[in-house]
Amino acid sequence: MDSLLCFRNVNALAPMVRVGTLPTRLLSLDYGADIVYSEVSLSVEKVLETVDFVAPDERVMFRTCEKEKDRVVFQMGTADPDRALIVARLVENDVAAIDVNMGCPKEYSTKGGMGAALLSDPDKIEAILRTLVKGVSKPVTCKIRILPTLEDTVSLVKRIENTGVAAIAVHGRLKDERPRHPVHCDFIQAIAEAVSIPVIANGGSLDRVKAHADIEEFRKVTGASSVMVARAAMWNPSVFRSQGLLSVEEVMEEYLKYAIRYDNHAFNTKYCLCQMLRDKVESPLGKQLKSAQTNKEICEGYGLQEYYKKTQAELQARREAIQTNHNHPNQPVLDGDVTTMHVKFERREYPGEFSPKMFLLEWSRKENLEQPRYETVQRSQDRAFQSMVTMTGKKYRSTLWEKSKKYAEQASAIVCLRVLGLPEGRAGEEYSGLVGKRKREEKSNETPDEEDTTTYFGARKRHLSENPEKQRVTNYSK
């Protein structure tokens, strides 16, 4: 238990949609935050050295890295215990804790029965939290808003405590109240006295927390174990700095460096910087920021052109190194009767008209073999796909899962082609002539004639017949 995240006597960055992205979280940690919560929202990004959780449309919903692994709390919006557990198990190895959002009052959250809508359904709250506490290895917490009466609020919090959660964050406002309404410190204090688990006070940014010293005062007033800061940190993350606030200009520059280093989306970068500018958003810098369309253009406004160039060069060098490694594919491994390789279909690496599947199909036709057959399965927890192709009675599959059925089939075709020593159509690959007659007639001005194709296959067939031992090793070596 000592290795698990502690929620007592900590200052935390609150979960904030559009703001709580990786650059803000890392900057807050630099300035002294003990814990950072992700915004409400699987692939490994080798170039950026991050772990990304990606939506089916390829949008990065949550990006994290090794630097925050032991202090980042992943917050999810959910109204379904089973779905919540699926998501929690996907992320638990890359975060320090799992939090359930039970306080967001916005319609996009409540209309699905999530966020503050859960406050009126204690049974569902219990079901979700008990399922998570039992089903994951990391601490589980939740964040709520107060109910209209103190009695109902305390009753709900005690039920939550009994689920086994590690802590509870309390935003001291009703779900219909907004930041302009005063925070109910007395409710938070009563909650802190009623339960034994850590209570994290939230909601004091507008009228109580302006600097680091105010965080401790808010903790004392509410009697809470810890404090969670939202808007004050959005305006200036150095609010966590015990030595005092830094100028917004300095903070913005440091934020921008993280945004460039971790390839933050330009529109999100603009949004976060504009929140820091606040009433200076119509200044010359603010106007230049609002007109920028890329991170490069944003950097120009802050005099960070050289930093941008240097960082982009470093990222490009990593891409090239990864590509070099990719060009030396790993060895095939037998998994039962299936030959597997660690292969991912990257569309940009196959720029031509003809995909790996097309190459495999054309080869089977030329060799008068049975056409390749694909069997595809879908993983329930993230809806990813994996395909197996059968060719001449042998089975081939990639060990990686893909975002679509089409990509999964392409990956399995690549495995088969590589094991057989056939071209696959990757960028930079010499033209092989592996193009069917039908396609050649359609693209006669772009492809070689049929004689070229026949010559290639004749040479390939002779090569295999002259090296039967090499063919066997290629197909089955582990």
Side-chain angles (χ1 to χ4, degrees):
M1 293 295 289
D2 291 342
S3 62
L4 296 180
L5 192 63
C6 176
F7 292 90
R8 293 190 185 277
N9 300 314
V10 298
N11 295 332
L13 174 70
M16 292 179 281
V17 174
R18 298 180 68 183
V19 175
T21 46
L22 184 57
T24 302
R25 299 198 306 270
L26 293 178
L27 194 59
S28 297
L29 290 173
D30 285 348
Y31 290 141
D34 301 295
I35 299 173
V36 289
Y37 280 67
S38 72
E39 61 174 339
V40 182
S41 40
L42 267 169
S43 63
V44 177
E45 225 298 350
K46 296 181 180 179
V47 174
L48 301 176
E49 299 176 337
T50 61
V51 176
D52 298 343
F53 295 84
V54 185
D57 62 1
E58 297 189 348
R59 287 180 298 123
V60 176
M61 303 302 292
F62 172 54
R63 169 169 287 168
T64 186
C65 67
E66 187 66 26
K67 182 174 179 178
E68 68 169 3
K69 183 176 181 180
D70 296 330
R71 293 191 285 174
V72 64
V73 180
F74 178 84
Q75 188 188 67
M76 70 170 75
T78 183
D80 183 287
D82 295 329
R83 283 175 173 251
L85 183 58
I86 289 171
V87 173
R89 284 177 171 171
L90 278 176
V91 304
E92 67 173 316
N93 290 330
D94 298 293
V95 299
I98 307 292
D99 183 79
V100 180
N101 175 8
M102 299 179 178
C104 181
K106 300 296 180 65
E107 184 182 1
Y108 61 75
S109 182
T110 57
K111 70 179 180 181
M114 301 182 293
L118 286 171
L119 296 175
S120 60
D121 194 344
D123 291 339
K124 182 172 287 187
I125 287 177
E126 281 196 48
I128 292 171
L129 294 177
R130 288 186 186 280
T131 299
L132 290 174
V133 169
K134 182 179 179 181
V136 299
S137 60
K138 298 296 174 66
V140 175
T141 64
C142 68
K143 182 172 183 286
I144 68 167
R145 284 188 172 228
I146 62 174
L147 299 176
T149 70
L150 181 57
E151 181 182 7
D152 288 342
T153 304
V154 170
S155 176
L156 174 63
V157 170
K158 285 184 175 180
R159 290 185 66 172
I160 290 173
E161 180 184 29
N162 289 333
T163 65
V165 295
I168 180 170
V170 181
H171 184 129
R173 292 185 178 87
L174 298 168
K175 68 177 182 178
D176 295 326
E177 292 182 326
R178 295 297 177 263
R180 65 180 181 275
H181 297 102
V183 61
H184 299 274
C185 293
D186 54 335
F187 272 62
I188 300 176
Q189 185 177 32
I191 293 168
E193 293 172 353
V195 296
S196 60
I197 59 174
V199 172
I200 308 172
N202 177 231
S205 288
L206 190 63
D207 52 359
R208 289 184 175 274
V209 178
K210 301 290 192 301
H212 183 268
D214 300 329
I215 297 177
E216 180 59 30
E217 181 61 27
F218 187 47
R219 188 196 321 269
K220 291 178 179 178
V221 169
T222 59
S225 301
S226 302
V227 173
M228 178 179 284
V229 183
R231 287 173 177 264
M234 176 180 71
W235 295 324
N236 190 331
S238 69
V239 70
F240 292 111
R241 190 171 178 268
S242 60
Q243 301 92 329
L245 285 169
L246 297 173
S247 69
V248 172
E249 290 75 17
E250 182 177 348
V251 171
M252 293 172 76
E253 183 174 317
E254 293 304 310
Y255 168 87
L256 187 51
K257 288 179 179 178
Y258 270 131
I260 300 306
R261 166 65 183 82
Y262 290 102
D263 194 28
N264 199 52
H265 196 287
F267 289 103
N268 180 255
T269 300
K270 281 176 58 174
Y271 178 83
C272 292
L273 290 173
C274 283
Q275 300 310 305
M276 296 182 202
L277 277 175
R278 300 184 71 185
D279 56 356
K280 298 179 181 178
V281 75
E282 294 302 324
S283 66
L285 176 60
K287 290 179 179 179
Q288 184 173 353
L289 174 61
K290 289 195 294 184
S291 66
Q293 297 298 309
T294 65
N295 281 328
K296 181 180 180 181
E297 292 177 1
I298 296 174
C299 282
E300 291 172 358
Y302 288 83
L304 291 175
Q305 297 96 319
E306 289 304 316
Y307 179 84
Y308 180 85
K309 290 179 182 178
K310 178 183 176 182
T311 304
Q312 291 303 306
E314 291 173 352
L315 295 178
Q316 182 59 32
R318 288 182 193 164
R319 292 187 186 98
E320 291 174 356
I322 291 169
Q323 182 64 39
T324 298
N325 292 334
H326 182 71
N327 288 336
H328 297 82
N330 56 7
Q331 292 296 311
V333 175
L334 271 178
D335 181 5
D337 63 343
V338 183
T339 301
T340 68
M341 292 180 73
H342 199 69
V343 171
K344 186 173 183 61
F345 177 68
E346 298 284 358
R347 185 68 186 88
R348 63 180 178 274
E349 294 181 8
Y350 299 86
E353 288 286 324
F354 308 103
S355 67
K357 281 184 65 179
M358 178 67 74
F359 274 81
L360 186 58
L361 176 62
E362 290 299 315
W363 179 76
S364 68
R365 287 172 174 170
K366 281 295 177 182
E367 295 294 296
N368 295 317
L369 301 172
E370 184 178 351
Q371 294 185 8
R373 291 181 291 106
Y374 296 87
E375 300 174 51
T376 305
V377 296
Q378 186 176 26
R379 191 164 57 186
S380 60
Q381 60 262 43
D382 60 356
R383 304 184 68 80
F385 294 85
Q386 189 177 62
S387 184
M388 179 180 69
V389 61
T390 300
M391 189 74 236
T392 64
K394 297 181 176 63
K395 301 174 182 178
Y396 307 88
R397 181 183 66 226
S398 171
T399 58
L400 300 179
W401 292 75
E402 296 279 359
K403 64 181 179 181
S404 69
K405 179 176 180 289
K406 177 181 177 181
Y407 277 29
E409 291 177 348
Q410 295 288 5
S412 65
I414 292 171
V415 174
C416 182
L417 289 165
R418 290 184 184 178
V419 170
L420 294 175
L422 296 170
E424 60 196 65
R426 199 184 325 166
E429 198 175 73
E430 288 188 11
Y431 184 75
S432 65
L434 273 174
V435 180
K437 183 177 180 181
R438 170 174 50 83
K439 288 290 182 182
R440 286 197 305 278
E441 290 173 348
E442 295 173 359
K443 301 279 186 178
S444 58
N445 62 327
E446 299 177 7
T447 58
D449 56 25
E450 186 172 3
E451 183 179 355
D452 292 335
T453 306
T454 305
T455 302
Y456 169 82
F457 280 116
R460 174 63 186 164
K461 192 170 184 179
R462 286 195 301 276
H463 175 73
L464 292 178
S465 64
E466 292 167 2
N467 298 277
E469 182 62 23
K470 183 176 182 180
Q471 181 185 3
R472 183 185 68 80
V473 172
T474 302
N475 277 277
Y476 298 105
S477 62
K478 294 187 179 182

